[in-house]
Amino acid sequence: MSSNPYGIAALWNQGDAVIKCVAVALLLMSIVSWTIIVTRTWRAARLRRARRAMAGFWHTHSFAEGMALLDEHGETNPFRHVAVEAQAAVDHHRSNGDDLHGQISLAEWLTESLRGAIDESAERMQSGLAVLASEGSTAPFVGLFGTVWGIYHALVGIGTSGQASIDKVAGPVGEALIMTAFGLAVAIPAVLGYNALTRNNKGVVNKLNRFARQLHAYFLTGSPVAKASAPAAPARKAPARLATQGG
C-alpha cells in the first residue's frame, strides 16, 4: 500500500527548516500548556477539598483541633497558611511589645499579616497561569507565520514551474493549513484552561478573605489566649444599705 503523498509525514519531509521550527515550537508550547493545565487542575481539586475542611474549622472545639483538620490537606493548603500566619502574628506581637511594631495596635498588625498571607497564597495559585495567557495569545500568530510561509512556498512553486498544477501547490498549501490548525490547537486549550483556573482561584481568594475576617475576629474578641491575658475586672462592692434613723 503506497503512502499518502499529502499526509503529515510527507509534509514534514518536504517542509523546510522554517516550517519544522514552527511545528516544533508549537509542539513544545502545547506540551507546556497541557502540563500546566493538568497540574493546576489537580491542585484546584485539592483546593476544593480544603474549602470543605475550612467550613468545618469553626465547628471544632479549639484552635489546635481546627489546625489539625486543616493539616490533613497538606502544608500547601492556603487556609492553613493564613491560620498559621495569624497565630504567628498574634504571638509575635505579644512577645515583642518593646519592638517598633509594638507601637502598632494588635488589630492593625494582625490585619496586615492576614493580607500578606492572602497575597502569598494568591501568588502561588496564579503561578503558571501567565504562561497559559501568553501561549493563548501568541500561538495563533506562530501558526499564522507558518501559514504565510507555506503560501510563500506555494507561490514560489507556481513561479518556478510556470503552471498552477495541484501537485505543485498542494504540499505548500497543506503546510499552511496545518500550521494554522496547530496554532489553534495550542491556543484554544490554553485560553479555556486559563479562564477556568482563574475563575477557580478567584473563588478560593474570596473564601480566604472571609476566613481571614473570621480569624481576625477570633483573635481579637474570641481567643481564649486574649481572654486569659486580659486583666480581671475588679468585683464591684454592693452598695451599703442606709441605716434608718430612729424616731
Side-chain angles (χ1 to χ4, degrees):
M1 182 177 180
S2 59
S3 59
N4 184 5
Y6 303 112
I8 299 296
L11 293 176
W12 172 263
N13 292 329
Q14 71 183 8
D16 60 359
V18 175
I19 290 296
K20 291 181 178 179
C21 288
V22 172
V24 170
L26 290 174
L27 177 61
L28 293 177
M29 292 172 68
S30 179
I31 293 174
V32 171
S33 65
W34 277 109
T35 301
I36 294 175
I37 290 172
V38 171
T39 55
R40 296 301 181 272
T41 301
W42 177 74
R43 183 182 296 180
R46 293 186 61 185
L47 287 177
R48 282 194 293 270
R49 292 193 295 269
R51 289 168 62 177
R52 290 193 292 268
M54 183 273 296
F57 179 88
W58 298 111
H59 294 284
T60 58
H61 301 290
S62 66
F63 186 81
E65 186 179 345
M67 287 299 302
L69 180 64
L70 296 179
D71 287 339
E72 296 177 359
H73 299 275
E75 296 183 357
T76 58
N77 180 2
F79 298 98
R80 178 188 181 277
H81 177 65
V82 171
V84 168
E85 290 297 318
Q87 180 68 73
V90 173
D91 294 341
H92 185 76
H93 188 275
R94 287 174 177 164
S95 60
N96 297 273
D98 295 334
D99 294 344
L100 186 60
H101 63 69
Q103 306 301 320
I104 305 175
S105 65
L106 177 60
E108 292 294 332
W109 180 259
L110 181 59
T111 298
E112 292 303 319
S113 299
L114 289 171
R115 286 177 180 172
I118 293 174
D119 291 341
E120 292 172 0
S121 298
E123 185 176 355
R124 282 197 295 267
M125 288 188 293
Q126 293 291 332
S127 62
L129 297 189
V131 177
L132 288 181
S134 299
E135 291 187 357
S137 59
T138 58
F141 296 101
V142 176
L144 181 61
F145 175 76
T147 300
V148 173
W149 194 262
I151 294 174
Y152 165 73
H153 270 194
L155 296 176
V156 170
I158 294 173
T160 302
S161 63
Q163 56 182 354
S165 59
I166 189 64
D167 59 330
K168 297 296 182 182
V169 300
V173 170
E175 294 174 4
L177 297 177
I178 288 176
M179 289 300 104
T180 301
F182 281 178
L184 294 177
V186 175
I188 292 175
V191 172
L192 294 178
Y194 174 82
N195 291 335
L197 293 172
T198 299
R199 182 171 59 252
N200 179 79
N201 290 343
K202 286 182 179 179
V204 174
V205 170
N206 291 335
K207 293 292 185 180
L208 280 175
N209 283 313
R210 180 182 178 185
F211 186 55
R213 290 192 298 268
Q214 293 170 339
L215 286 172
H216 188 274
Y218 169 78
F219 280 111
L220 292 183
T221 62
S223 174
V225 177
K227 292 180 179 179
S229 61
R236 293 190 305 173
K237 296 181 179 179
R241 184 174 299 177
L242 294 177
T244 307
Q245 295 180 355

